[in-house]
Amino acid sequence: TTTTTSAIGSGVAGSAAPSTGAAAAAAAGVEQPFSVVLMDMAMPVMGGVEATQKIRAQGFSLPIVAMTANASDKDRDECAAAGMNGFLSKPVLRDQLARALLAALEEYDMDQQQQQQQQQ
C-alpha cells in the first residue's frame, strides 16, 4: 500500500512513498531520485524511529527529517538518537518546512565535503 507524499530533489514534485515504517526501511536500499526523507513517526507496522534505525543500519546517509504530532523534547531527542537530521511538529508551516529541509541538506553537504577531504 502506498500513499502520495512530497519528495524533494532531482526535480521530483511528488512520488509514491511507503505508508508503513517497514516498507520505508525496505525502500531505503533502493536507488531513489530524492535528496531528503520526510519520516512520519506514527506509521503502522513500524514507527518512524525504528524505521530510521533500520535505514541507517543499511548505510543510508541522506537526511531524514521527522514529522510528528508530538513536540516534546523527549520526542526530539529520540528522533536525533535514531539518526534523524531534523524534527518538525505537525501541523507544519511552509517556512518551518523550508528551514528544516535547508538545515538538513546543508548539514548533509558539509558532512559529505568533510568525508571527501579526509579521503584525499
Side-chain angles (χ1 to χ4, degrees):
T1 303
T2 60
T3 58
T4 301
T5 188
S6 294
I8 305 300
S10 302
V12 177
S15 98
S19 60
T20 69
V30 178
E31 187 88 17
Q32 296 290 329
F34 54 79
S35 300
V36 66
V37 174
L38 299 176
M39 180 67 74
D40 191 351
M41 300 311 298
M43 294 181 286
V45 182
M46 180 187 301
V49 168
E50 185 179 356
T52 298
Q53 291 167 334
K54 290 186 180 289
I55 288 167
R56 293 298 190 214
Q58 294 175 26
F60 185 86
S61 63
L62 288 176
I64 300 175
V65 176
M67 296 190 69
T68 180
N70 303 324
S72 73
D73 288 339
K74 178 183 177 264
D75 293 313
R76 186 180 300 269
D77 293 343
E78 186 178 21
C79 290
M84 293 186 198
N85 307 87
F87 184 91
L88 289 168
S89 181
K90 297 176 189 175
V92 178
L93 300 175
R94 182 189 309 201
D95 290 345
Q96 292 170 326
L97 176 61
R99 282 192 301 271
L101 293 176
L102 286 173
L105 291 168
E106 287 173 354
E107 177 185 332
Y108 175 77
D109 287 345
M110 286 191 312
D111 289 346
Q112 293 299 304
Q113 289 174 358
Q114 288 176 351
Q115 287 177 7
Q116 287 175 354
Q117 289 174 353
Q118 291 174 353
Q119 292 174 354
Q120 293 176 0

XYZ file of all heavy atoms in Angstrom:
855
model
N 0.854 -1.182 0.000
C 0.000 0.000 0.000
C 0.889 1.231 0.000
O 1.839 1.314 0.754
C -0.874 0.023 1.259
O -1.622 -1.179 1.308
C -1.791 1.220 1.243
N 0.566 2.189 -0.873
C 1.337 3.429 -0.904
C 0.399 4.613 -0.829
O -0.781 4.525 -1.135
C 2.182 3.546 -2.192
O 1.308 3.526 -3.311
C 3.201 2.440 -2.290
N 0.956 5.720 -0.397
C 0.229 6.981 -0.397
C 1.069 7.991 -1.132
O 2.264 7.792 -1.332
C -0.026 7.479 1.039
O 1.231 7.622 1.694
C -0.921 6.541 1.803
N 0.466 9.076 -1.554
C 1.220 10.111 -2.243
C 1.804 11.056 -1.212
O 1.132 11.494 -0.309
C 0.318 10.886 -3.213
O -0.222 9.952 -4.145
C 1.086 11.946 -3.952
N 3.070 11.363 -1.375
C 3.742 12.282 -0.469
C 4.707 13.123 -1.276
O 4.984 12.819 -2.427
C 4.480 11.497 0.643
O 4.968 12.424 1.608
C 5.613 10.688 0.113
N 5.224 14.165 -0.697
C 6.170 15.019 -1.404
C 7.565 14.456 -1.306
O 7.974 13.971 -0.272
C 6.164 16.428 -0.808
O 4.927 17.035 -1.042
N 8.291 14.528 -2.397
C 9.705 14.168 -2.408
C 10.473 15.408 -2.825
O 10.028 16.144 -3.685
C 9.956 13.029 -3.389
N 11.610 15.635 -2.225
C 12.410 16.809 -2.510
C 13.665 16.367 -3.249
O 14.341 15.449 -2.834
C 12.812 17.526 -1.208
C 11.583 17.860 -0.375
C 13.639 18.757 -1.484
C 10.583 18.761 -1.029
N 13.979 17.015 -4.344
C 15.233 16.746 -5.025
C 15.021 16.173 -6.407
O 14.007 15.573 -6.721
N 16.013 16.352 -7.243
C 16.049 15.820 -8.600
C 14.813 16.207 -9.409
O 14.392 15.467 -10.283
C 16.209 14.299 -8.586
O 17.379 13.948 -7.913
N 14.199 17.335 -9.079
C 13.051 17.789 -9.835
C 11.789 16.986 -9.585
O 10.832 17.100 -10.319
N 11.759 16.156 -8.563
C 10.597 15.331 -8.282
C 9.641 16.124 -7.413
O 9.969 16.477 -6.294
C 11.005 14.024 -7.565
C 9.783 13.207 -7.215
C 11.960 13.230 -8.428
N 8.442 16.403 -7.907
C 7.460 17.164 -7.140
C 6.629 16.269 -6.253
O 6.185 16.653 -5.203
C 6.555 17.949 -8.078
N 6.391 15.071 -6.662
C 5.612 14.138 -5.861
C 5.951 12.729 -6.276
O 6.313 12.492 -7.413
N 5.854 11.798 -5.345
C 6.165 10.424 -5.700
C 5.440 9.503 -4.751
O 5.034 9.896 -3.673
C 7.680 10.208 -5.661
O 8.113 9.633 -4.489
N 5.287 8.260 -5.164
C 4.659 7.274 -4.287
C 5.648 6.922 -3.193
O 6.819 6.708 -3.453
C 4.274 6.039 -5.071
N 5.175 6.880 -1.966
C 6.058 6.597 -0.843
C 5.454 5.491 0.003
O 4.242 5.342 0.061
C 6.252 7.851 -0.010
N 6.293 4.719 0.659
C 5.793 3.668 1.534
C 4.917 4.249 2.637
O 5.191 5.319 3.149
C 7.068 3.060 2.120
C 8.157 3.474 1.207
C 7.737 4.789 0.618
N 3.866 3.528 3.000
C 2.965 4.027 4.028
C 3.159 3.336 5.368
O 2.470 3.640 6.321
C 1.514 3.875 3.573
O 1.226 2.513 3.341
N 4.099 2.413 5.457
C 4.424 1.797 6.738
C 5.908 1.959 6.989
O 6.702 2.094 6.062
C 4.075 0.288 6.773
O 4.955 -0.411 5.896
C 2.628 0.043 6.397
N 6.281 1.936 8.259
C 7.694 2.047 8.598
C 8.507 0.909 8.012
O 9.633 1.098 7.559
N 7.951 -0.300 8.018
C 8.670 -1.454 7.468
C 8.925 -1.262 5.984
O 10.018 -1.547 5.477
C 7.879 -2.737 7.722
N 7.933 -0.758 5.255
C 8.112 -0.507 3.829
C 9.138 0.592 3.588
O 9.931 0.530 2.654
C 6.773 -0.143 3.190
N 9.148 1.612 4.455
C 10.128 2.700 4.334
C 11.542 2.165 4.531
O 12.461 2.519 3.795
C 9.824 3.802 5.339
N 11.720 1.308 5.525
C 13.039 0.741 5.783
C 13.493 -0.119 4.614
O 14.654 -0.075 4.207
C 13.020 -0.079 7.073
N 12.583 -0.897 4.044
C 12.931 -1.750 2.906
C 13.253 -0.925 1.671
O 14.153 -1.260 0.900
C 11.789 -2.717 2.608
N 12.546 0.193 1.469
C 12.744 1.031 0.291
C 14.054 1.801 0.334
O 14.558 2.228 -0.693
C 11.582 2.005 0.144
N 14.636 1.976 1.506
C 15.855 2.779 1.634
C 17.025 2.182 0.875
O 17.909 2.902 0.436
C 16.226 2.950 3.105
N 17.032 0.875 0.690
C 18.131 0.236 -0.023
C 18.035 0.384 -1.529
O 18.953 0.054 -2.253
N 16.922 0.908 -2.024
C 16.694 1.058 -3.447
C 17.144 2.440 -3.887
O 16.920 3.421 -3.195
C 15.187 0.860 -3.760
C 14.896 1.061 -5.237
C 14.724 -0.505 -3.295
N 17.778 2.520 -5.043
C 18.210 3.814 -5.589
C 16.986 4.699 -5.805
O 16.054 4.315 -6.488
C 18.929 3.595 -6.927
C 19.556 4.821 -7.499
C 20.965 5.043 -7.009
O 21.581 4.110 -6.483
O 21.451 6.157 -7.151
N 16.967 5.886 -5.189
C 15.823 6.784 -5.267
C 16.266 8.165 -5.738
O 17.326 8.631 -5.350
C 15.150 6.921 -3.891
C 14.549 5.660 -3.351
C 13.313 5.220 -4.134
O 12.580 6.027 -4.669
N 13.107 3.933 -4.195
N 15.423 8.827 -6.527
C 15.770 10.178 -7.000
C 15.298 11.257 -6.026
O 14.471 12.090 -6.366
C 15.017 10.256 -8.324
C 13.789 9.449 -8.088
C 14.240 8.320 -7.182
N 15.788 11.211 -4.792
C 15.403 12.234 -3.834
C 16.603 12.626 -2.999
O 17.622 11.947 -2.983
C 14.230 11.800 -2.959
C 14.423 10.484 -2.247
C 15.193 10.391 -1.104
C 13.819 9.336 -2.725
C 15.368 9.186 -0.446
C 13.982 8.123 -2.070
C 14.753 8.046 -0.930
N 16.454 13.752 -2.295
C 17.559 14.292 -1.516
C 17.326 14.270 -0.022
O 18.260 14.455 0.743
C 17.832 15.745 -1.937
O 18.165 15.786 -3.295
N 16.084 14.092 0.401
C 15.757 14.096 1.824
C 14.509 13.240 2.040
O 13.660 13.141 1.161
C 15.548 15.541 2.345
C 14.339 16.176 1.733
C 15.495 15.601 3.858
N 14.432 12.614 3.211
C 13.275 11.801 3.583
C 12.484 12.540 4.653
O 13.062 13.007 5.638
C 13.719 10.429 4.146
C 12.525 9.648 4.678
C 14.473 9.640 3.098
N 11.178 12.664 4.460
C 10.284 13.188 5.486
C 9.649 11.964 6.134
O 8.841 11.274 5.522
C 9.218 14.095 4.873
C 9.761 15.334 4.153
C 8.632 16.105 3.494
C 10.544 16.211 5.104
N 10.051 11.679 7.376
C 9.651 10.443 8.057
C 8.499 10.696 9.009
O 8.652 11.409 10.002
C 10.844 9.869 8.835
C 10.543 8.586 9.583
S 10.191 7.179 8.520
C 11.840 6.811 7.901
N 7.351 10.097 8.705
C 6.216 10.147 9.614
C 6.554 9.263 10.806
O 7.051 8.158 10.640
C 4.962 9.643 8.906
C 3.692 9.896 9.685
O 3.751 10.319 10.861
O 2.629 9.659 9.113
N 6.277 9.736 11.998
C 6.643 8.984 13.197
C 5.613 7.940 13.592
O 5.934 6.984 14.283
C 6.881 9.947 14.363
C 8.000 10.939 14.087
S 9.506 10.170 13.462
C 9.907 9.136 14.836
N 4.371 8.103 13.162
C 3.302 7.202 13.585
C 2.777 6.415 12.382
O 1.710 6.703 11.865
C 2.181 7.981 14.250
N 3.551 5.444 11.934
C 3.132 4.606 10.816
C 2.751 3.226 11.336
O 3.239 2.789 12.372
C 4.273 4.472 9.807
C 4.617 5.768 9.118
S 5.937 5.570 7.919
C 7.351 5.385 8.997
N 1.879 2.535 10.600
C 1.535 1.169 11.006
C 2.729 0.227 10.851
O 3.648 0.516 10.103
C 0.417 0.774 10.047
C 0.241 1.889 9.089
C 1.174 2.988 9.437
N 2.719 -0.846 11.531
C 3.709 -1.923 11.484
C 5.009 -1.535 12.185
O 5.471 -2.232 13.062
C 3.988 -2.426 10.053
C 4.988 -3.577 10.056
C 2.709 -2.817 9.336
N 5.615 -0.421 11.789
C 6.889 0.018 12.367
C 6.878 1.536 12.430
O 6.604 2.191 11.433
C 8.044 -0.462 11.479
C 9.417 -0.085 11.968
S 10.722 -0.497 10.758
C 10.508 -2.251 10.567
N 7.174 2.095 13.578
C 7.199 3.542 13.730
C 8.412 4.166 13.060
O 9.338 3.483 12.621
N 8.407 5.478 12.985
C 9.468 6.209 12.311
C 10.831 6.070 12.953
O 11.857 6.044 12.269
N 10.886 5.965 14.291
C 12.178 5.809 14.968
C 12.812 4.472 14.578
O 13.977 4.420 14.174
C 12.018 5.931 16.505
C 13.284 5.493 17.223
C 11.675 7.362 16.882
N 12.043 3.401 14.676
C 12.578 2.080 14.317
C 12.918 2.009 12.827
O 13.956 1.462 12.451
C 11.575 0.986 14.680
C 12.124 -0.414 14.450
C 11.159 -1.525 14.822
O 10.060 -1.233 15.337
O 11.513 -2.687 14.593
N 12.066 2.594 11.981
C 12.345 2.606 10.541
C 13.652 3.346 10.255
O 14.480 2.888 9.463
C 11.187 3.245 9.785
N 13.856 4.489 10.931
C 15.092 5.250 10.728
C 16.309 4.456 11.182
O 17.343 4.443 10.500
C 15.012 6.593 11.478
O 13.925 7.346 10.930
C 16.300 7.389 11.349
N 16.205 3.770 12.312
C 17.320 2.948 12.791
C 17.673 1.870 11.772
O 18.851 1.630 11.489
C 16.971 2.324 14.138
C 16.890 3.334 15.257
C 16.251 2.790 16.523
O 15.454 1.858 16.489
N 16.588 3.397 17.652
N 16.676 1.230 11.200
C 16.919 0.195 10.194
C 17.517 0.789 8.918
O 18.414 0.215 8.317
C 15.636 -0.569 9.886
C 15.195 -1.462 11.033
C 13.997 -2.306 10.649
C 13.567 -3.195 11.795
N 14.488 -4.277 12.068
N 17.006 1.953 8.531
C 17.525 2.630 7.341
C 18.989 3.006 7.543
O 19.829 2.786 6.669
C 16.664 3.872 7.027
C 15.293 3.424 6.491
C 17.359 4.810 6.056
C 14.260 4.537 6.435
N 19.319 3.577 8.686
C 20.712 3.951 8.963
C 21.612 2.711 9.028
O 22.752 2.762 8.574
C 20.805 4.750 10.267
C 20.147 6.111 10.198
C 20.807 6.995 9.175
N 20.312 8.370 9.279
C 20.157 9.161 8.239
N 20.446 8.745 7.025
N 19.712 10.387 8.401
N 21.095 1.608 9.558
C 21.878 0.367 9.639
C 22.225 -0.166 8.248
O 23.211 -0.887 8.083
C 21.117 -0.688 10.440
N 21.438 0.205 7.236
C 21.697 -0.202 5.860
C 22.727 0.703 5.183
O 23.070 0.498 4.031
C 20.408 -0.175 5.036
C 19.375 -1.181 5.462
C 18.074 -1.025 4.688
O 18.047 -0.537 3.559
N 16.978 -1.433 5.303
N 23.183 1.731 5.900
C 24.176 2.641 5.347
C 23.585 3.830 4.608
O 24.304 4.584 3.966
N 22.294 4.028 4.690
C 21.618 5.143 4.029
C 21.995 6.425 4.749
O 21.744 6.567 5.941
C 20.102 4.913 4.091
C 19.278 5.920 3.346
C 19.026 5.773 1.994
C 18.735 7.005 4.010
C 18.242 6.685 1.315
C 17.952 7.932 3.345
C 17.699 7.768 1.994
N 22.609 7.374 4.043
C 23.133 8.568 4.705
C 22.383 9.855 4.392
O 22.655 10.876 5.012
C 24.610 8.753 4.349
O 24.745 8.969 2.956
N 21.441 9.837 3.451
C 20.711 11.060 3.144
C 19.948 11.554 4.371
O 19.617 10.768 5.256
C 19.729 10.828 1.991
C 20.353 10.652 0.610
C 19.274 10.334 -0.421
C 21.125 11.888 0.198
N 19.658 12.847 4.428
C 18.966 13.401 5.591
C 17.562 12.814 5.776
O 16.847 12.574 4.807
C 18.862 14.895 5.282
C 19.859 15.163 4.224
C 20.026 13.894 3.472
N 17.198 12.605 7.032
C 15.860 12.162 7.410
C 15.315 13.182 8.402
O 15.941 13.451 9.427
C 15.878 10.762 8.053
C 16.448 9.733 7.069
C 14.477 10.362 8.509
C 16.629 8.333 7.659
N 14.155 13.750 8.080
C 13.513 14.746 8.931
C 12.226 14.147 9.488
O 11.369 13.685 8.732
C 13.210 16.043 8.146
C 12.464 17.048 9.013
C 14.499 16.661 7.602
N 12.101 14.143 10.802
C 10.911 13.610 11.469
C 9.729 14.551 11.279
O 9.888 15.766 11.331
C 11.178 13.446 12.959
N 8.563 13.958 11.087
C 7.313 14.711 11.061
C 6.373 14.038 12.045
O 6.048 12.869 11.874
C 6.724 14.731 9.663
C 7.621 15.463 8.669
S 6.836 15.739 7.096
C 5.591 16.928 7.528
N 5.977 14.772 13.091
C 5.195 14.164 14.146
C 4.249 15.160 14.788
O 4.503 16.360 14.769
C 6.124 13.564 15.222
O 5.340 12.966 16.242
C 7.040 14.600 15.817
N 3.175 14.647 15.356
C 2.257 15.481 16.129
C 2.795 15.705 17.538
O 2.326 16.575 18.260
C 0.878 14.826 16.187
N 3.794 14.933 17.932
C 4.405 15.056 19.262
C 5.529 16.085 19.198
O 6.390 15.992 18.338
C 4.958 13.709 19.727
C 3.882 12.647 19.750
O 2.729 12.927 20.065
N 4.243 11.430 19.391
N 5.525 17.013 20.115
C 6.504 18.100 20.057
C 7.378 18.195 21.296
O 8.032 19.204 21.512
C 5.781 19.424 19.838
N 7.436 17.150 22.097
C 8.204 17.231 23.339
C 9.703 17.100 23.075
O 10.129 16.576 22.045
C 7.758 16.134 24.304
O 8.217 14.872 23.874
N 10.492 17.568 24.030
C 11.948 17.420 23.931
C 12.334 15.945 23.900
O 13.281 15.568 23.224
C 12.634 18.114 25.104
C 12.575 19.631 24.994
O 12.370 20.155 23.873
O 12.734 20.303 26.035
N 11.598 15.111 24.629
C 11.863 13.666 24.634
C 11.713 13.090 23.223
O 12.554 12.306 22.775
C 10.913 12.957 25.599
C 11.087 11.454 25.644
C 10.048 10.806 26.565
C 10.168 9.314 26.554
N 9.252 8.660 25.643
N 10.655 13.492 22.517
C 10.438 13.016 21.145
C 11.562 13.497 20.229
O 12.091 12.735 19.417
C 9.091 13.506 20.605
C 7.925 12.888 21.341
O 7.927 11.659 21.540
O 7.012 13.639 21.725
N 11.931 14.752 20.373
C 13.012 15.327 19.553
C 14.327 14.575 19.815
O 15.048 14.220 18.881
C 13.164 16.814 19.884
C 14.134 17.561 19.006
C 14.198 19.026 19.419
N 12.924 19.690 19.315
C 12.481 20.333 18.233
N 13.242 20.394 17.159
N 11.305 20.932 18.233
N 14.635 14.310 21.088
C 15.863 13.596 21.447
C 15.858 12.168 20.909
O 16.876 11.666 20.435
C 16.059 13.578 22.961
C 16.328 14.965 23.541
O 16.679 15.886 22.776
O 16.182 15.118 24.767
N 14.694 11.511 20.980
C 14.569 10.144 20.480
C 14.802 10.091 18.967
O 15.469 9.187 18.469
C 13.180 9.597 20.825
C 12.985 8.146 20.480
C 11.615 7.619 20.887
O 10.670 8.403 21.072
O 11.500 6.390 21.002
N 14.296 11.083 18.262
C 14.497 11.153 16.812
C 15.968 11.371 16.474
O 16.515 10.718 15.575
C 13.637 12.261 16.209
S 11.869 11.888 16.235
N 16.613 12.274 17.182
C 18.038 12.534 16.947
C 18.871 11.286 17.250
O 19.781 10.941 16.487
C 18.507 13.716 17.789
N 18.552 10.603 18.332
C 19.291 9.388 18.700
C 19.117 8.288 17.662
O 20.019 7.467 17.468
C 18.845 8.899 20.078
N 17.983 8.279 16.971
C 17.729 7.271 15.940
C 18.478 7.581 14.649
O 18.567 6.734 13.766
C 16.232 7.168 15.656
N 19.011 8.809 14.535
C 19.763 9.176 13.338
C 19.065 10.172 12.436
O 19.473 10.372 11.297
N 18.024 10.808 12.942
C 17.322 11.806 12.137
C 18.058 13.131 12.185
O 18.701 13.461 13.171
C 15.886 11.971 12.621
C 15.068 10.732 12.374
S 13.360 10.996 12.782
C 12.823 9.296 12.904
N 17.947 13.885 11.106
C 18.672 15.135 10.968
C 17.830 16.361 11.277
O 18.353 17.469 11.317
C 19.212 15.270 9.538
C 20.007 14.060 9.141
O 19.432 13.090 8.659
N 21.294 14.089 9.368
N 16.540 16.184 11.435
C 15.665 17.306 11.704
C 14.373 16.826 12.324
O 14.102 15.625 12.375
N 13.566 17.776 12.777
C 12.350 17.449 13.514
C 11.311 18.519 13.232
O 11.571 19.704 13.439
C 12.676 17.413 15.011
C 11.548 17.006 15.904
C 11.366 15.679 16.247
C 10.676 17.953 16.413
C 10.343 15.297 17.096
C 9.643 17.585 17.259
C 9.476 16.246 17.599
N 10.145 18.119 12.746
C 9.042 19.040 12.501
C 7.814 18.563 13.243
O 7.456 17.386 13.164
C 8.716 19.111 11.006
C 9.732 19.815 10.128
C 9.442 19.558 8.661
C 9.718 21.303 10.427
N 7.176 19.473 13.946
C 5.951 19.169 14.650
C 4.761 19.577 13.778
O 4.744 20.672 13.221
C 5.932 19.924 15.977
O 4.768 19.619 16.691
N 3.796 18.669 13.646
C 2.606 18.950 12.840
C 1.639 19.809 13.639
O 1.566 19.658 14.852
C 1.919 17.641 12.452
C 2.752 16.740 11.581
C 1.991 15.437 11.367
C 2.841 14.393 10.694
N 2.143 13.106 10.585
N 0.868 20.670 13.013
C 0.860 20.935 11.576
C 2.104 21.726 11.183
O 2.603 22.554 11.948
C -0.404 21.766 11.364
C -0.633 22.438 12.680
C -0.112 21.488 13.729
N 2.610 21.441 10.009
C 3.856 22.041 9.535
C 3.534 23.271 8.694
O 2.741 23.203 7.762
C 4.662 21.029 8.695
C 5.924 21.667 8.151
C 4.985 19.805 9.521
N 4.175 24.366 9.046
C 4.040 25.585 8.259
C 5.117 25.605 7.181
O 6.214 25.042 7.356
C 4.172 26.817 9.156
C 3.137 26.915 10.281
C 3.442 28.103 11.180
C 1.729 27.000 9.704
N 4.825 26.251 6.078
C 5.738 26.278 4.929
C 7.136 26.755 5.314
O 8.135 26.149 4.931
C 5.179 27.178 3.837
C 6.065 27.215 2.603
C 5.657 28.255 1.618
N 4.241 28.161 1.306
C 3.710 28.670 0.210
N 4.467 29.292 -0.662
N 2.432 28.572 -0.010
N 7.227 27.842 6.078
C 8.534 28.374 6.468
C 9.309 27.389 7.335
O 10.523 27.248 7.197
C 8.387 29.708 7.199
C 7.935 30.840 6.277
O 7.999 30.678 5.041
O 7.521 31.885 6.807
N 8.596 26.703 8.247
C 9.255 25.702 9.087
C 9.797 24.561 8.234
O 10.905 24.078 8.461
C 8.280 25.136 10.122
C 7.847 26.117 11.171
C 6.710 25.564 12.014
O 5.859 24.818 11.532
N 6.693 25.928 13.291
N 9.006 24.121 7.277
C 9.435 23.038 6.391
C 10.659 23.461 5.594
O 11.651 22.727 5.519
C 8.297 22.633 5.461
C 8.620 21.563 4.414
C 9.044 20.260 5.074
C 7.421 21.345 3.497
N 10.613 24.649 5.041
C 11.744 25.144 4.246
C 13.017 25.224 5.085
O 14.086 24.787 4.650
C 11.410 26.508 3.641
N 12.909 25.769 6.303
C 14.087 25.878 7.173
C 14.635 24.501 7.551
O 15.842 24.289 7.554
C 13.753 26.686 8.431
C 13.703 28.186 8.205
C 13.658 28.954 9.517
N 12.515 28.608 10.345
C 11.331 29.199 10.295
N 11.128 30.182 9.449
N 10.351 28.820 11.098
N 13.743 23.578 7.877
C 14.182 22.238 8.277
C 14.870 21.519 7.115
O 15.895 20.864 7.312
C 12.996 21.416 8.781
N 14.316 21.641 5.920
C 14.923 20.994 4.759
C 16.286 21.594 4.435
O 17.254 20.864 4.192
C 13.994 21.092 3.549
C 12.695 20.300 3.647
C 11.816 20.567 2.429
C 12.966 18.821 3.818
N 16.357 22.919 4.446
C 17.640 23.573 4.172
C 18.697 23.196 5.204
O 19.842 22.907 4.846
C 17.474 25.087 4.109
C 16.794 25.621 2.855
C 16.523 27.117 2.976
C 17.628 25.328 1.618
N 18.326 23.194 6.473
C 19.284 22.841 7.521
C 19.770 21.399 7.356
O 20.967 21.128 7.459
C 18.649 23.036 8.901
N 18.856 20.472 7.098
C 19.235 19.071 6.937
C 20.126 18.881 5.712
O 21.130 18.153 5.768
C 17.988 18.193 6.826
N 19.799 19.532 4.617
C 20.599 19.399 3.393
C 21.963 20.061 3.534
O 22.972 19.525 3.061
C 19.835 19.964 2.193
C 18.615 19.140 1.779
C 17.753 19.913 0.792
C 19.038 17.796 1.223
N 22.019 21.215 4.203
C 23.306 21.885 4.420
C 24.207 21.030 5.309
O 25.404 20.901 5.053
C 23.099 23.271 5.014
C 22.563 24.265 4.008
C 22.195 25.609 4.625
O 22.250 25.756 5.871
O 21.842 26.515 3.852
N 23.629 20.437 6.361
C 24.400 19.559 7.244
C 24.931 18.354 6.461
O 26.091 17.976 6.599
C 23.510 19.083 8.395
C 24.182 18.099 9.330
C 23.217 17.554 10.383
O 22.255 18.241 10.750
O 23.455 16.424 10.823
N 24.092 17.778 5.642
C 24.489 16.630 4.826
C 25.621 17.021 3.873
O 26.620 16.300 3.751
C 23.292 16.094 4.039
C 23.642 14.986 3.092
C 23.869 13.694 3.561
C 23.748 15.216 1.727
C 24.196 12.671 2.691
C 24.073 14.193 0.857
C 24.292 12.924 1.345
O 24.625 11.918 0.475
N 25.477 18.156 3.194
C 26.512 18.611 2.262
C 27.843 18.842 2.971
O 28.904 18.475 2.462
C 26.077 19.899 1.549
C 24.990 19.657 0.514
O 24.756 18.483 0.130
O 24.354 20.647 0.102
N 27.805 19.444 4.164
C 29.046 19.673 4.924
C 29.691 18.346 5.320
O 30.901 18.188 5.224
C 28.781 20.543 6.149
C 28.539 21.995 5.803
S 28.517 23.138 7.222
C 27.466 22.330 8.383
N 28.871 17.388 5.766
C 29.401 16.067 6.122
C 30.052 15.393 4.920
O 31.119 14.793 5.039
C 28.302 15.165 6.677
C 27.822 15.581 8.059
O 28.508 16.403 8.718
O 26.749 15.089 8.471
N 29.421 15.499 3.759
C 29.962 14.892 2.544
C 31.284 15.541 2.154
O 32.226 14.845 1.771
C 28.950 15.005 1.390
C 27.701 14.185 1.590
C 27.992 12.706 1.694
O 28.596 12.114 0.823
N 27.580 12.102 2.793
N 31.371 16.874 2.270
C 32.608 17.579 1.949
C 33.732 17.169 2.895
O 34.869 16.961 2.470
C 32.389 19.088 1.994
C 31.554 19.603 0.855
C 31.219 21.087 1.001
O 31.581 21.732 1.977
N 30.503 21.624 0.022
N 33.420 17.044 4.185
C 34.428 16.629 5.160
C 34.924 15.220 4.862
O 36.122 14.948 4.951
C 33.872 16.705 6.580
C 33.701 18.114 7.081
C 33.045 18.167 8.453
O 32.566 17.167 8.970
N 33.014 19.352 9.037
N 34.022 14.335 4.506
C 34.411 12.961 4.176
C 35.312 12.931 2.940
O 36.297 12.187 2.916
C 33.188 12.082 3.954
C 32.454 11.751 5.219
C 31.191 10.921 4.982
O 30.929 10.489 3.879
N 30.416 10.715 6.029
N 34.991 13.748 1.939
C 35.814 13.805 0.737
C 37.204 14.342 1.055
O 38.205 13.847 0.548
C 35.142 14.655 -0.324
C 33.940 13.993 -0.963
C 33.216 14.902 -1.927
O 33.524 16.090 -2.058
N 32.237 14.343 -2.629
N 37.283 15.360 1.913
C 38.574 15.938 2.282
C 39.412 14.933 3.063
O 40.626 14.860 2.885
C 38.377 17.209 3.101
C 37.851 18.363 2.277
C 37.513 19.577 3.118
O 37.545 19.528 4.347
N 37.150 20.668 2.464
N 38.783 14.143 3.924
C 39.505 13.145 4.701
C 40.032 12.025 3.824
O 41.063 11.429 4.119
C 38.607 12.574 5.796
C 38.297 13.569 6.891
C 37.281 13.044 7.901
O 36.721 11.980 7.710
N 37.056 13.794 8.958
N 39.346 11.743 2.731
C 39.771 10.679 1.822
C 40.915 11.112 0.933
O 41.587 10.279 0.344
C 38.598 10.201 0.984
C 37.538 9.471 1.789
C 36.310 9.116 0.976
O 36.180 9.499 -0.187
N 35.386 8.412 1.582
N 41.152 12.412 0.827
C 42.225 12.906 -0.058
C 43.555 12.933 0.622
O 43.836 12.930 1.697
C 41.875 14.312 -0.552
C 40.683 14.301 -1.453
C 40.261 15.696 -1.887
O 40.860 16.708 -1.515
N 39.229 15.779 -2.686
